[in-house]
Amino acid sequence: MIGKRLHELRVAKGLSLRELGQMVKLSPTLLSQVERGVTTPSLTTLRKLSGIFGESMSSLFMDSSKGPSVWISRPGERMLLRGPRGGVVYERLTRGNGEMEVFRAVYEVGQQSMDDMSHPSLESVYVVRGVITAEIDKVSFDVKAGENISFDARQSHRYLNRGTEEAEIIMSITPPVP
């Protein structure tokens, strides 16, 4: 679905793959593969593309041909977003309607999110199992299974698993990261 939506947005702006590639500093070949569904774009790539098109990241997942009324998120059918350098994999639980995004992620021991993210949103992370360390403006908060942390995501933040077992989280972001 994302490839079709990116193609629609690119064509609507009158951009060739080469022009778009120059704007986001990606190869036209990679962009073509994303549009054709051959490869899944990284979070960094999605952020770049959503910025170029003036869209929220969630809008890139919407099927423009039909209005969403009800959507069921099923295991094995969800979009997976991979952090940079083969990092954390985020499983998108929501379809995206421009209001909120919800992700599930499992952090392996020693794994961390991108360094020092910040974006104009509210963010909430519920820890399903394990312990996750949330660093917000360089202050560390250990959040254990059954606990939740919420904050203004304009503050610099990242997540780390400093524990001895996997940590599973559910993350909500509203509004979605552009």
Side-chain angles (χ1 to χ4, degrees):
M1 183 185 311
I2 191 167
K4 178 183 174 195
R5 181 72 177 131
L6 288 171
H7 177 76
E8 290 170 355
L9 290 168
R10 180 178 61 78
V11 170
K13 281 219 180 245
L15 296 171
S16 69
L17 286 168
R18 184 176 309 278
E19 291 168 326
L20 180 58
Q22 289 173 345
M23 294 170 81
V24 294
K25 296 181 177 41
L26 295 170
S27 75
T29 303
L30 174 66
L31 293 172
S32 174
Q33 290 173 341
V34 170
E35 284 189 3
R36 291 180 291 125
V38 174
T39 190
T40 302
S42 69
L43 285 171
T44 302
T45 298
L46 287 174
R47 282 193 178 107
K48 288 178 182 179
L49 291 169
S50 65
I52 292 295
F53 295 127
E55 299 278 334
S56 69
M57 268 186 28
S58 66
S59 72
L60 300 179
F61 296 91
M62 295 179 72
D63 183 352
S64 61
S65 66
K66 49 185 156 181
S69 54
V70 174
W71 188 71
I72 298 174
S73 172
R74 293 190 169 90
E77 297 177 5
R78 299 177 186 139
M79 172 66 69
L80 299 177
L81 303 171
R82 194 168 306 278
R85 299 177 304 277
V88 179
V89 175
Y90 296 89
E91 182 178 20
R92 197 161 189 276
L93 301 178
T94 50
R95 179 177 187 170
N97 62 4
E99 302 288 329
M100 174 182 69
E101 286 188 302
V102 179
F103 296 97
R104 175 189 168 273
V106 175
Y107 282 72
E108 302 294 331
V109 174
Q111 200 169 32
Q112 68 181 41
S113 65
M114 294 188 313
D115 287 338
D116 300 324
M117 297 178 285
S118 64
H119 44 91
S121 305
L122 294 176
E123 196 157 311
S124 180
V125 174
Y126 174 79
V127 179
V128 176
R129 62 185 162 93
V131 178
I132 203 81
T133 299
E135 286 185 357
I136 303 168
D137 275 345
K138 307 293 184 200
V139 177
S140 293
F141 301 89
D142 288 334
V143 187
K144 301 173 188 159
E147 296 179 341
N148 187 82
I149 186 167
S150 300
F151 58 95
D152 182 335
R154 288 178 291 194
Q155 300 172 90
S156 171
H157 61 281
R158 71 179 181 153
Y159 303 104
L160 307 95
N161 182 352
R162 293 182 175 149
T164 58
E165 63 183 13
E166 288 182 339
E168 179 181 0
I169 66 166
I170 302 294
M171 174 188 302
S172 300
I173 302 170
T174 184
V177 178

PDB file of all heavy atoms in Angstrom, residues 115-146:
ATOM      1  N   ASP A 115      19.393   7.958  18.075  1.00  0.00           N
ATOM      2  CA  ASP A 115      19.863   8.915  19.078  1.00  0.00           C
ATOM      3  C   ASP A 115      19.104  10.226  18.990  1.00  0.00           C
ATOM      4  O   ASP A 115      18.867  10.747  17.906  1.00  0.00           O
ATOM      5  CB  ASP A 115      21.362   9.207  18.884  1.00  0.00           C
ATOM      6  CG  ASP A 115      22.226   8.041  19.318  1.00  0.00           C
ATOM      7  OD1 ASP A 115      21.759   7.215  20.117  1.00  0.00           O
ATOM      8  OD2 ASP A 115      23.378   7.971  18.851  1.00  0.00           O
ATOM      9  N   ASP A 116      18.743  10.722  20.137  1.00  0.00           N
ATOM     10  CA  ASP A 116      18.220  12.073  20.286  1.00  0.00           C
ATOM     11  C   ASP A 116      17.159  12.471  19.259  1.00  0.00           C
ATOM     12  O   ASP A 116      17.320  13.433  18.519  1.00  0.00           O
ATOM     13  CB  ASP A 116      19.370  13.081  20.273  1.00  0.00           C
ATOM     14  CG  ASP A 116      20.344  12.819  21.416  1.00  0.00           C
ATOM     15  OD1 ASP A 116      19.876  12.421  22.499  1.00  0.00           O
ATOM     16  OD2 ASP A 116      21.551  13.004  21.226  1.00  0.00           O
ATOM     17  N   MET A 117      16.064  11.735  19.228  1.00  0.00           N
ATOM     18  CA  MET A 117      14.941  12.100  18.379  1.00  0.00           C
ATOM     19  C   MET A 117      14.207  13.262  19.041  1.00  0.00           C
ATOM     20  O   MET A 117      14.230  13.413  20.259  1.00  0.00           O
ATOM     21  CB  MET A 117      13.957  10.927  18.271  1.00  0.00           C
ATOM     22  CG  MET A 117      14.502   9.695  17.627  1.00  0.00           C
ATOM     23  SD  MET A 117      13.272   8.371  17.604  1.00  0.00           S
ATOM     24  CE  MET A 117      13.304   7.855  19.318  1.00  0.00           C
ATOM     25  N   SER A 118      13.526  14.047  18.256  1.00  0.00           N
ATOM     26  CA  SER A 118      12.583  15.033  18.773  1.00  0.00           C
ATOM     27  C   SER A 118      11.625  15.377  17.644  1.00  0.00           C
ATOM     28  O   SER A 118      12.025  15.411  16.476  1.00  0.00           O
ATOM     29  CB  SER A 118      13.304  16.283  19.293  1.00  0.00           C
ATOM     30  OG  SER A 118      13.956  16.944  18.253  1.00  0.00           O
ATOM     31  N   HIS A 119      10.373  15.564  18.000  1.00  0.00           N
ATOM     32  CA  HIS A 119       9.344  15.873  17.012  1.00  0.00           C
ATOM     33  C   HIS A 119       8.151  16.481  17.739  1.00  0.00           C
ATOM     34  O   HIS A 119       7.943  16.227  18.922  1.00  0.00           O
ATOM     35  CB  HIS A 119       8.945  14.620  16.220  1.00  0.00           C
ATOM     36  CG  HIS A 119       8.748  13.405  17.054  1.00  0.00           C
ATOM     37  ND1 HIS A 119       7.530  13.053  17.596  1.00  0.00           N
ATOM     38  CD2 HIS A 119       9.621  12.451  17.473  1.00  0.00           C
ATOM     39  CE1 HIS A 119       7.663  11.937  18.300  1.00  0.00           C
ATOM     40  NE2 HIS A 119       8.928  11.549  18.242  1.00  0.00           N
ATOM     41  N   PRO A 120       7.351  17.287  17.057  1.00  0.00           N
ATOM     42  CA  PRO A 120       6.232  17.976  17.708  1.00  0.00           C
ATOM     43  C   PRO A 120       5.036  17.053  17.928  1.00  0.00           C
ATOM     44  O   PRO A 120       4.058  17.106  17.200  1.00  0.00           O
ATOM     45  CB  PRO A 120       5.911  19.106  16.733  1.00  0.00           C
ATOM     46  CG  PRO A 120       6.313  18.553  15.397  1.00  0.00           C
ATOM     47  CD  PRO A 120       7.513  17.675  15.669  1.00  0.00           C
ATOM     48  N   SER A 121       5.139  16.186  18.928  1.00  0.00           N
ATOM     49  CA  SER A 121       4.079  15.218  19.230  1.00  0.00           C
ATOM     50  C   SER A 121       4.062  14.949  20.719  1.00  0.00           C
ATOM     51  O   SER A 121       4.971  15.334  21.452  1.00  0.00           O
ATOM     52  CB  SER A 121       4.349  13.877  18.528  1.00  0.00           C
ATOM     53  OG  SER A 121       4.514  14.016  17.151  1.00  0.00           O
ATOM     54  N   LEU A 122       3.026  14.251  21.150  1.00  0.00           N
ATOM     55  CA  LEU A 122       3.011  13.639  22.468  1.00  0.00           C
ATOM     56  C   LEU A 122       3.330  12.177  22.245  1.00  0.00           C
ATOM     57  O   LEU A 122       2.863  11.576  21.277  1.00  0.00           O
ATOM     58  CB  LEU A 122       1.641  13.782  23.132  1.00  0.00           C
ATOM     59  CG  LEU A 122       1.220  15.208  23.467  1.00  0.00           C
ATOM     60  CD1 LEU A 122      -0.198  15.212  24.032  1.00  0.00           C
ATOM     61  CD2 LEU A 122       2.178  15.840  24.447  1.00  0.00           C
ATOM     62  N   GLU A 123       4.138  11.605  23.120  1.00  0.00           N
ATOM     63  CA  GLU A 123       4.534  10.211  22.960  1.00  0.00           C
ATOM     64  C   GLU A 123       4.247   9.478  24.258  1.00  0.00           C
ATOM     65  O   GLU A 123       4.451  10.026  25.349  1.00  0.00           O
ATOM     66  CB  GLU A 123       6.021  10.146  22.610  1.00  0.00           C
ATOM     67  CG  GLU A 123       6.454   8.815  22.062  1.00  0.00           C
ATOM     68  CD  GLU A 123       7.728   8.946  21.222  1.00  0.00           C
ATOM     69  OE1 GLU A 123       7.785   9.833  20.337  1.00  0.00           O
ATOM     70  OE2 GLU A 123       8.645   8.165  21.462  1.00  0.00           O
ATOM     71  N   SER A 124       3.774   8.258  24.126  1.00  0.00           N
ATOM     72  CA  SER A 124       3.449   7.425  25.280  1.00  0.00           C
ATOM     73  C   SER A 124       3.966   6.018  25.006  1.00  0.00           C
ATOM     74  O   SER A 124       3.718   5.463  23.937  1.00  0.00           O
ATOM     75  CB  SER A 124       1.933   7.406  25.485  1.00  0.00           C
ATOM     76  OG  SER A 124       1.589   6.608  26.586  1.00  0.00           O
ATOM     77  N   VAL A 125       4.714   5.460  25.967  1.00  0.00           N
ATOM     78  CA  VAL A 125       5.276   4.118  25.814  1.00  0.00           C
ATOM     79  C   VAL A 125       4.854   3.261  26.999  1.00  0.00           C
ATOM     80  O   VAL A 125       5.124   3.603  28.154  1.00  0.00           O
ATOM     81  CB  VAL A 125       6.818   4.167  25.699  1.00  0.00           C
ATOM     82  CG1 VAL A 125       7.403   2.766  25.699  1.00  0.00           C
ATOM     83  CG2 VAL A 125       7.227   4.916  24.441  1.00  0.00           C
ATOM     84  N   TYR A 126       4.192   2.161  26.681  1.00  0.00           N
ATOM     85  CA  TYR A 126       3.780   1.171  27.675  1.00  0.00           C
ATOM     86  C   TYR A 126       4.718  -0.023  27.540  1.00  0.00           C
ATOM     87  O   TYR A 126       4.912  -0.543  26.433  1.00  0.00           O
ATOM     88  CB  TYR A 126       2.332   0.744  27.434  1.00  0.00           C
ATOM     89  CG  TYR A 126       1.884  -0.376  28.340  1.00  0.00           C
ATOM     90  CD1 TYR A 126       1.519  -0.131  29.655  1.00  0.00           C
ATOM     91  CD2 TYR A 126       1.847  -1.692  27.873  1.00  0.00           C
ATOM     92  CE1 TYR A 126       1.125  -1.158  30.492  1.00  0.00           C
ATOM     93  CE2 TYR A 126       1.452  -2.732  28.703  1.00  0.00           C
ATOM     94  CZ  TYR A 126       1.090  -2.456  30.011  1.00  0.00           C
ATOM     95  OH  TYR A 126       0.698  -3.471  30.836  1.00  0.00           O
ATOM     96  N   VAL A 127       5.311  -0.465  28.643  1.00  0.00           N
ATOM     97  CA  VAL A 127       6.216  -1.605  28.620  1.00  0.00           C
ATOM     98  C   VAL A 127       5.414  -2.877  28.914  1.00  0.00           C
ATOM     99  O   VAL A 127       4.841  -3.022  29.994  1.00  0.00           O
ATOM    100  CB  VAL A 127       7.382  -1.424  29.619  1.00  0.00           C
ATOM    101  CG1 VAL A 127       8.298  -2.643  29.598  1.00  0.00           C
ATOM    102  CG2 VAL A 127       8.168  -0.159  29.303  1.00  0.00           C
ATOM    103  N   VAL A 128       5.378  -3.767  27.945  1.00  0.00           N
ATOM    104  CA  VAL A 128       4.636  -5.029  28.063  1.00  0.00           C
ATOM    105  C   VAL A 128       5.440  -6.035  28.887  1.00  0.00           C
ATOM    106  O   VAL A 128       4.910  -6.699  29.762  1.00  0.00           O
ATOM    107  CB  VAL A 128       4.315  -5.611  26.669  1.00  0.00           C
ATOM    108  CG1 VAL A 128       3.622  -6.965  26.781  1.00  0.00           C
ATOM    109  CG2 VAL A 128       3.478  -4.621  25.866  1.00  0.00           C
ATOM    110  N   ARG A 129       6.752  -6.129  28.570  1.00  0.00           N
ATOM    111  CA  ARG A 129       7.629  -7.029  29.327  1.00  0.00           C
ATOM    112  C   ARG A 129       9.040  -6.467  29.310  1.00  0.00           C
ATOM    113  O   ARG A 129       9.420  -5.723  28.407  1.00  0.00           O
ATOM    114  CB  ARG A 129       7.587  -8.449  28.787  1.00  0.00           C
ATOM    115  CG  ARG A 129       8.044  -8.622  27.373  1.00  0.00           C
ATOM    116  CD  ARG A 129       7.835 -10.078  26.894  1.00  0.00           C
ATOM    117  NE  ARG A 129       7.877 -10.140  25.456  1.00  0.00           N
ATOM    118  CZ  ARG A 129       8.976 -10.400  24.749  1.00  0.00           C
ATOM    119  NH1 ARG A 129      10.107 -10.655  25.357  1.00  0.00           N
ATOM    120  NH2 ARG A 129       8.931 -10.424  23.432  1.00  0.00           N
ATOM    121  N   GLY A 130       9.792  -6.821  30.337  1.00  0.00           N
ATOM    122  CA  GLY A 130      11.159  -6.343  30.460  1.00  0.00           C
ATOM    123  C   GLY A 130      11.222  -4.949  31.065  1.00  0.00           C
ATOM    124  O   GLY A 130      10.278  -4.485  31.705  1.00  0.00           O
ATOM    125  N   VAL A 131      12.347  -4.284  30.841  1.00  0.00           N
ATOM    126  CA  VAL A 131      12.565  -2.924  31.322  1.00  0.00           C
ATOM    127  C   VAL A 131      13.163  -2.117  30.178  1.00  0.00           C
ATOM    128  O   VAL A 131      14.094  -2.578  29.509  1.00  0.00           O
ATOM    129  CB  VAL A 131      13.545  -2.893  32.528  1.00  0.00           C
ATOM    130  CG1 VAL A 131      13.808  -1.457  32.982  1.00  0.00           C
ATOM    131  CG2 VAL A 131      13.024  -3.735  33.674  1.00  0.00           C
ATOM    132  N   ILE A 132      12.629  -0.944  29.938  1.00  0.00           N
ATOM    133  CA  ILE A 132      13.177  -0.062  28.912  1.00  0.00           C
ATOM    134  C   ILE A 132      13.647   1.216  29.606  1.00  0.00           C
ATOM    135  O   ILE A 132      13.016   1.674  30.554  1.00  0.00           O
ATOM    136  CB  ILE A 132      12.134   0.245  27.806  1.00  0.00           C
ATOM    137  CG1 ILE A 132      12.807   0.655  26.498  1.00  0.00           C
ATOM    138  CG2 ILE A 132      11.145   1.286  28.213  1.00  0.00           C
ATOM    139  CD1 ILE A 132      13.297  -0.499  25.696  1.00  0.00           C
ATOM    140  N   THR A 133      14.779   1.734  29.175  1.00  0.00           N
ATOM    141  CA  THR A 133      15.261   3.011  29.703  1.00  0.00           C
ATOM    142  C   THR A 133      14.900   4.085  28.691  1.00  0.00           C
ATOM    143  O   THR A 133      15.280   3.996  27.520  1.00  0.00           O
ATOM    144  CB  THR A 133      16.787   2.988  29.929  1.00  0.00           C
ATOM    145  OG1 THR A 133      17.096   1.967  30.875  1.00  0.00           O
ATOM    146  CG2 THR A 133      17.277   4.327  30.453  1.00  0.00           C
ATOM    147  N   ALA A 134      14.146   5.070  29.140  1.00  0.00           N
ATOM    148  CA  ALA A 134      13.810   6.224  28.303  1.00  0.00           C
ATOM    149  C   ALA A 134      14.719   7.368  28.735  1.00  0.00           C
ATOM    150  O   ALA A 134      14.720   7.736  29.910  1.00  0.00           O
ATOM    151  CB  ALA A 134      12.352   6.601  28.482  1.00  0.00           C
ATOM    152  N   GLU A 135      15.515   7.874  27.810  1.00  0.00           N
ATOM    153  CA  GLU A 135      16.346   9.045  28.089  1.00  0.00           C
ATOM    154  C   GLU A 135      15.647  10.246  27.481  1.00  0.00           C
ATOM    155  O   GLU A 135      15.497  10.334  26.259  1.00  0.00           O
ATOM    156  CB  GLU A 135      17.743   8.888  27.494  1.00  0.00           C
ATOM    157  CG  GLU A 135      18.611   7.933  28.252  1.00  0.00           C
ATOM    158  CD  GLU A 135      20.047   7.871  27.720  1.00  0.00           C
ATOM    159  OE1 GLU A 135      20.357   8.537  26.707  1.00  0.00           O
ATOM    160  OE2 GLU A 135      20.844   7.135  28.326  1.00  0.00           O
ATOM    161  N   ILE A 136      15.204  11.164  28.328  1.00  0.00           N
ATOM    162  CA  ILE A 136      14.482  12.350  27.889  1.00  0.00           C
ATOM    163  C   ILE A 136      15.271  13.561  28.351  1.00  0.00           C
ATOM    164  O   ILE A 136      15.469  13.750  29.562  1.00  0.00           O
ATOM    165  CB  ILE A 136      13.045  12.356  28.442  1.00  0.00           C
ATOM    166  CG1 ILE A 136      12.334  11.077  27.985  1.00  0.00           C
ATOM    167  CG2 ILE A 136      12.304  13.610  27.990  1.00  0.00           C
ATOM    168  CD1 ILE A 136      11.034  10.794  28.661  1.00  0.00           C
ATOM    169  N   ASP A 137      15.744  14.350  27.404  1.00  0.00           N
ATOM    170  CA  ASP A 137      16.634  15.478  27.704  1.00  0.00           C
ATOM    171  C   ASP A 137      17.783  15.038  28.602  1.00  0.00           C
ATOM    172  O   ASP A 137      18.096  15.684  29.602  1.00  0.00           O
ATOM    173  CB  ASP A 137      15.863  16.645  28.317  1.00  0.00           C
ATOM    174  CG  ASP A 137      15.229  17.539  27.262  1.00  0.00           C
ATOM    175  OD1 ASP A 137      15.609  17.427  26.079  1.00  0.00           O
ATOM    176  OD2 ASP A 137      14.365  18.355  27.627  1.00  0.00           O
ATOM    177  N   LYS A 138      18.391  13.893  28.256  1.00  0.00           N
ATOM    178  CA  LYS A 138      19.584  13.337  28.935  1.00  0.00           C
ATOM    179  C   LYS A 138      19.305  12.831  30.352  1.00  0.00           C
ATOM    180  O   LYS A 138      20.223  12.478  31.072  1.00  0.00           O
ATOM    181  CB  LYS A 138      20.732  14.354  28.975  1.00  0.00           C
ATOM    182  CG  LYS A 138      21.098  14.947  27.629  1.00  0.00           C
ATOM    183  CD  LYS A 138      21.696  13.935  26.699  1.00  0.00           C
ATOM    184  CE  LYS A 138      22.135  14.632  25.407  1.00  0.00           C
ATOM    185  NZ  LYS A 138      22.285  13.773  24.300  1.00  0.00           N
ATOM    186  N   VAL A 139      18.030  12.760  30.761  1.00  0.00           N
ATOM    187  CA  VAL A 139      17.666  12.198  32.062  1.00  0.00           C
ATOM    188  C   VAL A 139      17.103  10.805  31.813  1.00  0.00           C
ATOM    189  O   VAL A 139      16.224  10.624  30.958  1.00  0.00           O
ATOM    190  CB  VAL A 139      16.629  13.079  32.795  1.00  0.00           C
ATOM    191  CG1 VAL A 139      16.215  12.444  34.111  1.00  0.00           C
ATOM    192  CG2 VAL A 139      17.178  14.486  33.009  1.00  0.00           C
ATOM    193  N   SER A 140      17.608   9.796  32.554  1.00  0.00           N
ATOM    194  CA  SER A 140      17.186   8.407  32.350  1.00  0.00           C
ATOM    195  C   SER A 140      16.035   8.033  33.268  1.00  0.00           C
ATOM    196  O   SER A 140      16.053   8.343  34.459  1.00  0.00           O
ATOM    197  CB  SER A 140      18.361   7.460  32.615  1.00  0.00           C
ATOM    198  OG  SER A 140      19.366   7.630  31.642  1.00  0.00           O
ATOM    199  N   PHE A 141      15.054   7.328  32.677  1.00  0.00           N
ATOM    200  CA  PHE A 141      13.912   6.805  33.425  1.00  0.00           C
ATOM    201  C   PHE A 141      13.806   5.321  33.098  1.00  0.00           C
ATOM    202  O   PHE A 141      13.647   4.960  31.928  1.00  0.00           O
ATOM    203  CB  PHE A 141      12.617   7.507  33.005  1.00  0.00           C
ATOM    204  CG  PHE A 141      12.625   8.996  33.214  1.00  0.00           C
ATOM    205  CD1 PHE A 141      13.098   9.852  32.220  1.00  0.00           C
ATOM    206  CD2 PHE A 141      12.166   9.538  34.403  1.00  0.00           C
ATOM    207  CE1 PHE A 141      13.104  11.223  32.402  1.00  0.00           C
ATOM    208  CE2 PHE A 141      12.168  10.916  34.595  1.00  0.00           C
ATOM    209  CZ  PHE A 141      12.643  11.753  33.598  1.00  0.00           C
ATOM    210  N   ASP A 142      13.889   4.452  34.105  1.00  0.00           N
ATOM    211  CA  ASP A 142      13.684   3.024  33.891  1.00  0.00           C
ATOM    212  C   ASP A 142      12.197   2.737  34.015  1.00  0.00           C
ATOM    213  O   ASP A 142      11.584   3.025  35.049  1.00  0.00           O
ATOM    214  CB  ASP A 142      14.481   2.197  34.901  1.00  0.00           C
ATOM    215  CG  ASP A 142      15.978   2.229  34.609  1.00  0.00           C
ATOM    216  OD1 ASP A 142      16.347   2.437  33.438  1.00  0.00           O
ATOM    217  OD2 ASP A 142      16.771   2.056  35.549  1.00  0.00           O
ATOM    218  N   VAL A 143      11.624   2.181  32.961  1.00  0.00           N
ATOM    219  CA  VAL A 143      10.194   1.897  32.911  1.00  0.00           C
ATOM    220  C   VAL A 143      10.038   0.380  32.830  1.00  0.00           C
ATOM    221  O   VAL A 143      10.521  -0.251  31.894  1.00  0.00           O
ATOM    222  CB  VAL A 143       9.523   2.590  31.707  1.00  0.00           C
ATOM    223  CG1 VAL A 143       8.020   2.429  31.757  1.00  0.00           C
ATOM    224  CG2 VAL A 143       9.911   4.072  31.644  1.00  0.00           C
ATOM    225  N   LYS A 144       9.371  -0.201  33.836  1.00  0.00           N
ATOM    226  CA  LYS A 144       9.250  -1.654  33.948  1.00  0.00           C
ATOM    227  C   LYS A 144       7.937  -2.151  33.347  1.00  0.00           C
ATOM    228  O   LYS A 144       7.009  -1.368  33.118  1.00  0.00           O
ATOM    229  CB  LYS A 144       9.301  -2.059  35.421  1.00  0.00           C
ATOM    230  CG  LYS A 144      10.586  -1.639  36.099  1.00  0.00           C
ATOM    231  CD  LYS A 144      10.510  -1.908  37.583  1.00  0.00           C
ATOM    232  CE  LYS A 144      11.737  -1.296  38.258  1.00  0.00           C
ATOM    233  NZ  LYS A 144      11.541  -1.065  39.659  1.00  0.00           N
ATOM    234  N   ALA A 145       7.860  -3.463  33.149  1.00  0.00           N
ATOM    235  CA  ALA A 145       6.650  -4.095  32.635  1.00  0.00           C
ATOM    236  C   ALA A 145       5.441  -3.635  33.441  1.00  0.00           C
ATOM    237  O   ALA A 145       5.486  -3.574  34.669  1.00  0.00           O
ATOM    238  CB  ALA A 145       6.778  -5.618  32.694  1.00  0.00           C
ATOM    239  N   GLY A 146       4.398  -3.243  32.734  1.00  0.00           N
ATOM    240  CA  GLY A 146       3.170  -2.767  33.371  1.00  0.00           C
ATOM    241  C   GLY A 146       3.166  -1.263  33.598  1.00  0.00           C
ATOM    242  O   GLY A 146       2.137  -0.701  33.955  1.00  0.00           O
TER     243      GLY A 146
END
